[in-house]
C-alpha cells in the first residue's frame, strides 16, 4: 500500500478556514490555474422538434480566487429534492423512503464553483469540452471531473439528457397565459437562522410547476433498437448544445428559460471552437462515439468506461478523430471490449488503457459523497482511493487532449497513456481468448 499512500498524499485536499467558520460539505475543488464558475441553461430552439428543450450545466474558468472562503456562493450538488428521488427510482427502490435517505446523504453537499460568476476576461479563448453522463446520471453527477477540466482552462458543458436515461430531469411547462413563470429564490427568515441550510429549489431561481421526468425503465435492458435510438437523441442534444455555444461565442443573446441575472454576452469570443472535445462516461461513452462519427466539429474524443451496446455498426468506420478509451478494471467484459476494438480500424490514434483497482463509478462524484464502507457496498468505490482514481482520470484525459491539441507547455503523462504507470494497464485486463 506504500505506493498508493504516496499517490493519495500527492492529490490536493480541500482546505479549511482558520477563523473557525464552518465550511459547507463539498466535492474536491479544481487544482488548475483558474477558479471555476458555473450556471445552468435550459434552452429551446427550432428546428429541434425531435430533441426538445436542452438542459446543461456550464462550468468555465474565472479569475483565480479563494474558492473556499467564498463557499456561500456554491450551488448544491442536488439541485432539488426530486433528484434524490430520481436516484432511488433508478435503483428500483422505494422513492419516499430511499429518496429521503439519498437526500440525507447528499442534500447538504456543495459544488466548489461560484454560481453565475463572470467568465475569465484575460483575452484567451478556451477550448470546449462536451460531457455526456452515464445511464442514471444527470448534469451534476460528474461535477468533480468537470470542475477540474474548467480549472485547467476549458469551458465544459455537462449535459442532462432527456432521452429517459437521466435519473431525473424536468421540463418547464407554460402557464395558462402561455408564459413560463420564474421568480427569484428567496430564503425564508428563521428564528434561528442556519447559514448552511438551503431550500432544494433551483439555485438562484424557483421554477413554477416543472414537469418531472424520472428514469425510464425499459425491458429488456439491452434491447438494441431502443438504446440505439436513445444514443442518437443524446448525440443530437450534444450537437445542438454546441450550436448554442457557437451563438454565445458570437455574442448572440441566447434565451435561458431558467432566467437569472447572468449576462450571457460575457461569453462572446471566450471560446476556441476549433478545439472542441467530446467526452462521456458509460452510456455517455457510446454517446461520445456516435457524436464523433456524425459531427466533425468535435476533434478529439474521450470514452470513460464506455458501454458499447447502443452503438450502431455505421459508427465504427466514421470515427476519424483521436480517441482515448479509459476503462476501469472491475467493469469491462469481452463483448464490450470487442466492440471498442472496432473503432481502431483507421489510422488516427485510438488509445485504450485500464485503471487498476477502479470500478465503474470511479469517475463520478458518488465515491466522494458516501463513506468508504457504504461506497464499497453501493459499488461506488473499489480498491484505490477516490482521490487517486479521479487524479489518474484527470491526468489521462488532460494528457491525451493536450497532446492532440499540441500544447507543448503542458505536462503530458506518457507513463499513464502508455500503461507504464503502476496503476495503469496498456489495453485491457479482460481475457480476450
Amino acid at each position: 500500500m506504500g505506493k498508493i499512500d504516496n499517490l493519495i498524499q500527492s492529490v490536493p485536499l480541500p482546505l479549511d478556514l482558520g477563523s473557525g467558520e464552518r465550511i459547507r460539505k463539498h466535492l474536491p475543488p479544481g487544482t488548475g490555474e483558474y477558479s471555476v464558475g458555473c450556471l445552468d441553461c435550459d434552452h429551446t430552439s427550432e428546428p429541434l422538434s425531435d430533441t426538445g428543450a436542452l438542459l446543461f450545466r456550464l462550468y468555465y474558468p474565472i479569475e483565480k480566487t479563494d474558492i473556499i472562503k467564498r463557499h456561500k456562493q456554491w450551488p448544491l450538488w442536488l439541485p432539488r429534492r426530486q433528484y434524490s428521488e430520481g436516484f432511488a427510482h433508478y435503483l428500483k427502490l422505494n422513492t419516499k423512503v430511499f429518496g429521503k435517505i439519498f437526500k440525507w446523504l447528499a442534500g447538504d453537499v456543495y459544488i466548489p464553483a461560484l454560481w453565475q460568476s463572470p467568465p475569465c476576461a484575460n483575452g484567451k479563448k478556451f477550448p470546449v469540452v462536451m460531457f455526456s453522463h452515464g445511464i442514471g446520471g444527470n448534469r451534476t453527477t460528474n461535477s468533480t471531473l468537470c470542475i477540474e477540466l474548467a480549472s485547467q482552462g476549458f469551458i465544459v458543458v455537462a449535459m442532462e439528457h432527456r432521452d429517459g436515461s437521466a435519473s431525473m430531469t424536468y421540463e418547464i411547462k407554460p402557464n395558462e397565459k402561455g408564459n413560463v413563470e420564474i421568480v427569484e429564490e428567496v430564503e425564508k427568515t428563521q428564528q434561528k437562522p442556519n447559514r448552511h441550510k438551503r431550500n432544494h429549489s433551483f439555485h438562484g431561481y424557483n421554477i413554477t410547476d416543472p414537469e418531472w421526468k424520472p428514469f425510464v425503465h425499459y425491458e429488456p435492458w439491452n434491447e438494441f433498437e431502443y438504446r440505439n435510438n436513445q444514443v442518437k437523441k443524446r448525440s443530437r442534444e450534444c450537437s445542438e448544445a454546441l450550436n448554442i455555444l457557437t451563438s454565445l461565442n458570437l455574442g448572440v443573446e441566447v434565451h435561458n428559460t431558467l432566467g437569472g441575472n447572468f449576462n450571457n454576452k460575457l461569453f462572446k469570443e471566450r471560446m476556441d471552437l476549433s478545439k472542441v472535445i467530446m467526452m462521456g462516461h458509460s452510456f455517455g461513452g457510446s454517446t461520445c462515439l456516435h457524436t464523433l462519427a456524425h459531427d466533425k466539429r468535435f476533434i478529439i474524443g474521450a470514452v470513460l468506461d464506455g458501454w458499447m451496446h447502443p452503438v450502431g455498426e455505421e459508427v465504427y468506420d466514421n470515427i476519424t478523430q483521436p480517441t482515448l478509451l479509459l476503462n476501469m478494471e472491475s467493469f469491462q467484459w469481452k463483448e464490450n471490449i470487442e466492440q471498442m476494438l472496432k473503432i481502431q480500424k483507421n489510422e488516427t490514434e485510438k488509445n485504450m488503457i485500464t485503471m487498476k483497482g477502479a470500478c465503474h463509478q470511479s469517475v463520478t462524484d458518488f465515491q466522494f459523497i458516501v463513506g468508504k464502507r457504504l461506497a464499497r457496498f453501493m459499488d461506488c468505490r473499489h480498491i484505490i482511493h477516490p482521490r487517486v482514481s479521479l487524479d489518474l482520470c484527470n491526468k489521462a484525459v488532460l494528457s491525451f487532449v493536450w497532446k492532440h491539441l499540441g500544447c507543448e507547455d503542458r505536462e503530458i503523462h506518457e507513463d499513464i497513456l502508455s500503461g507504464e504507470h503502476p496503476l495503469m494497464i496498456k489495453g485491457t485486463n479482460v481475457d480476450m481468448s
Side-chain angles (χ1 to χ4, degrees), residues 301-321:
V303 176
L304 310 180
D305 222 18
W307 179 42
M308 300 296 296
H309 178 73
V311 177
E313 288 293 329
E314 80 284 355
V315 166
Y316 299 111
D317 290 334
N318 292 321
I319 300 173
T320 56
Q321 304 92 321

Side-chain angles (χ1 to χ4, degrees), residues 50-116:
D50 64 337
T51 301
L54 292 177
L55 175 59
F56 57 82
R57 175 159 290 184
L58 204 61
Y59 295 94
Y60 49 89
I62 64 174
E63 298 292 342
K64 194 68 173 179
T65 186
D66 191 332
I67 198 77
I68 300 298
K69 286 186 177 180
R70 299 176 68 178
H71 63 101
K72 293 181 181 179
Q73 295 173 252
W74 297 346
L76 283 162
W77 186 76
L78 283 175
R80 209 167 179 180
R81 65 171 176 79
Q82 283 85 351
Y83 283 88
S84 60
E85 296 171 359
F87 288 128
H89 171 76
Y90 167 69
L91 295 172
K92 296 184 177 181
L93 301 172
N94 183 290
T95 55
K96 291 185 178 180
V97 174
F98 287 92
K100 290 181 179 178
I101 292 175
F102 283 123
K103 183 180 176 182
W104 174 73
L105 286 170
D108 61 346
V109 175
Y110 287 78
I111 297 172
L114 302 187
W115 187 252
Q116 295 190 355

Side-chain angles (χ1 to χ4, degrees), residues 328 355 357-364 367 380-382 386 389-390:
M328 307 297 127
M355 190 186 304
C359 66
H360 195 51
Q361 301 299 333
S362 289
V363 298
T364 70
Q367 57 187 335
C380 297
R381 176 173 174 174
H382 196 40
S389 64
L390 255 297

